[in-house]
Amino acid sequence: MFKKILVTGGAGFIGSNFIRLIIKERNWDIINLDALTYAGNLDNLRDIEDNPRYQFVHGRIEDRDIIRDIISEADAIVNFAAETHVDRSIKDAYPFITTNCIGVQTIIDTIREAGDARVKVLLHVSTDEVYGSLGPDDPPFKETTPLAPNSPYAASKASADFLLRAAIKTYGIPIIITRCSNNYGPYQYPEKLMPLMTINAMQDMPLPVYGDGMNIRDWIHVDDHCRGILAALEKGKIGDVYNLGGECEKTNLEIVKLILGTLNKGEGLITFVADRLGHDRRYAMNIDKARNELGWFPKIEFEQGIYDTINWYRENVDWWKKLLKNAK
Ligand SMILES: NC(=O)c1ccc[n+]([C@@H]2O[C@H](COP(=O)([O-])OP(=O)(O)OC[C@H]3O[C@@H](n4cnc5c(N)ncnc54)[C@H](O)[C@@H]3O)[C@@H](O)[C@H]2O)c1
């Protein structure tokens, strides 16, 4: 289907898992363009870095010259590159606007500039957080739910979705957007709930839980998300948005207790801390469109997925210890 794809942000959590999936299941060449921010880590790709089909380029998506050079060779782009941590966006939104908005507009402009030589498709990886927060009895978000982001992170991602929408309508740029719920799995930077709690529990350190711990997220294994992105890339309709999710709503407290139970640690490690500013209460995704139109659905059962993930962090202590040592 494609000869060569550009993956941006491929040294991060989801991007590195996606590259591994493509190496295994497709014969496409891959260029991974990554800025190597605190969240980008080439250790995430050690097992495939010598593969002749894989090439790494160090650079930023806001750099038009780099993007121009690469897209002259690639026939698809999958954009994972982003600033992704809500807490960091609350402290300083600026890097989020730079990468998540200006970076996305740079990719759009560069595709536009390439004219007929442009890529066949730009798949942009977005998030359920663009939809805002649900009440306990609200139906899950659909692709048609109006965007109502509440954190600077979510607002920067929603802005990107609007810029992409405008690029489709105004210039006919071939874009597909996927919006996914909370991912868990190997290689996730240990500032996010699942790896942070797992690593703290392993070290008998306190597990900081925001507010009353009753905020609900929909959880999906990163491999299911990556398969969903691939399905959208190959079968999605240009100009469309596809929700992806695990159909697995859990409170943060449930997740933390599950991690403690799996690691045989006591619940005394749970420490309630002041709630995150503007903390969204609940996310849930309606994934009927992806199921019906892409034939995709999440396959990894949550209990097994989380058990395997906890074991991965147990078995890869050197990986996370190195990250914690160099933490920025
Ligand atoms: N993690 C989740 O649960 C989740 C859920 C839904 C959607 N998403 C989206 O998926 C994408 C990937 O998320 P993740 O969890 O893997 O993030 P991550 O923070 O682990 O990785 C982001 C990667 O992007 C790179 N990057 C940052 N700024 C860059 C720039 N300007 N130019 C080039 N590279 C840059 C980083 O170095 C890093 O390798 C993001 O767009 C995020 O919004 C994530």
Side-chain angles (χ1 to χ4, degrees):
M1 182 157 191
F2 303 114
K3 281 205 183 81
K4 189 179 272 192
I5 63 167
L6 164 61
V7 173
T8 64
F13 165 45
I14 306 173
S16 60
N17 281 289
F18 181 76
I19 289 174
R20 198 169 283 105
L21 174 72
I22 299 301
I23 291 286
K24 201 165 136 225
E25 298 198 355
R26 295 294 181 274
N27 58 4
W28 313 335
D29 289 343
I30 300 165
I31 301 174
N32 173 16
L33 172 70
D34 197 294
L36 298 182
T37 67
Y38 77 94
N41 181 3
L42 290 177
D43 284 346
N44 295 359
L45 290 159
R46 285 286 169 240
D47 53 330
I48 59 107
E49 67 184 359
D50 295 328
N51 190 301
R53 286 169 42 215
Y54 170 77
Q55 185 193 342
F56 175 69
V57 177
H58 186 200
R60 303 190 62 89
I61 58 168
E62 310 92 275
D63 187 331
R64 198 180 282 228
D65 293 338
I66 291 189
I67 301 282
R68 189 185 294 122
D69 282 354
I70 298 176
I71 66 170
S72 63
E73 302 176 44
D75 42 10
I77 304 176
V78 184
N79 181 38
F80 293 93
E83 289 293 335
T84 61
H85 191 41
V86 174
D87 290 343
R88 287 180 188 254
S89 81
I90 292 169
K91 287 196 187 105
D92 180 10
Y94 195 82
F96 290 73
I97 308 305
T98 307
T99 293
N100 302 2
C101 304
I102 297 174
V104 165
Q105 188 61 44
T106 307
I107 296 174
I108 292 169
D109 289 345
T110 316
I111 295 174
R112 189 180 157 215
E113 211 180 82
D116 291 343
R118 70 192 187 187
V119 293
K120 288 186 203 147
V121 57
L122 161 62
L123 187 142
H124 176 77
V125 180
S126 186
T127 164
D128 59 357
E129 301 198 27
V130 298
Y131 294 119
S133 186
L134 292 169
D137 301 319
D138 288 337
F141 300 125
K142 289 176 121 175
E143 290 82 354
T144 49
T145 304
L147 305 196
N150 293 317
S151 70
Y153 163 65
S156 69
K157 293 293 289 186
S159 304
D161 286 12
F162 281 136
L163 293 170
L164 291 156
R165 179 190 155 90
I168 297 163
K169 301 278 176 195
T170 310
Y171 309 116
I173 309 274
I175 293 167
I176 294 170
I177 297 175
T178 55
R179 296 186 181 133
C180 190
S181 59
N182 274 46
N183 285 219
Y184 67 92
Y187 301 104
Q188 187 167 30
Y189 191 82
E191 65 187 352
K192 306 277 169 62
L193 185 83
M194 201 81 82
L196 174 73
M197 298 299 171
T198 304
I199 287 168
N200 279 14
M202 280 193 280
Q203 301 177 100
D204 293 307
M205 283 165 60
L207 273 51
V209 173
Y210 280 133
D212 61 2
M214 299 309 282
N215 301 69
I216 293 172
R217 299 293 180 260
D218 168 44
W219 290 94
I220 182 170
H221 192 281
V222 66
D223 288 350
D224 276 332
H225 183 194
C226 290
R227 283 178 198 287
I229 293 168
L230 182 56
L233 186 65
E234 294 186 323
K235 300 183 207 158
K237 192 167 152 242
I238 295 295
D240 268 20
V241 175
Y242 295 90
N243 279 356
L244 305 172
E247 295 185 316
C248 176
E249 290 184 50
K250 303 274 177 207
T251 65
N252 288 346
L253 201 54
E254 277 179 284
I255 298 287
V256 168
K257 286 184 178 175
L258 197 61
I259 291 170
L260 286 170
T262 308
L263 291 170
N264 286 320
K265 301 283 181 176
E267 292 185 7
L269 287 175
I270 297 175
T271 311
F272 290 95
V273 298
D275 207 355
R276 170 189 274 169
L277 297 177
H279 203 177
D280 285 339
R281 197 64 177 168
R282 174 177 167 240
Y283 305 139
M285 289 295 250
N286 178 318
I287 57 166
D288 289 351
K289 183 174 174 187
R291 198 188 290 273
N292 296 334
E293 294 184 19
L294 307 177
W296 170 89
F297 55 90
K299 290 185 178 156
I300 299 172
E301 198 238 333
F302 180 73
E303 276 69 25
Q304 185 63 48
I306 193 155
Y307 178 78
D308 292 346
T309 300
I310 293 168
N311 270 341
W312 189 88
Y313 288 96
R314 237 192 313 218
E315 285 162 10
N316 288 275
V317 174
D318 291 346
W319 177 87
W320 58 260
K321 283 216 162 145
K322 188 171 161 192
L323 281 179
L324 294 185
K325 199 168 143 229
N326 301 329
K328 289 175 215 159

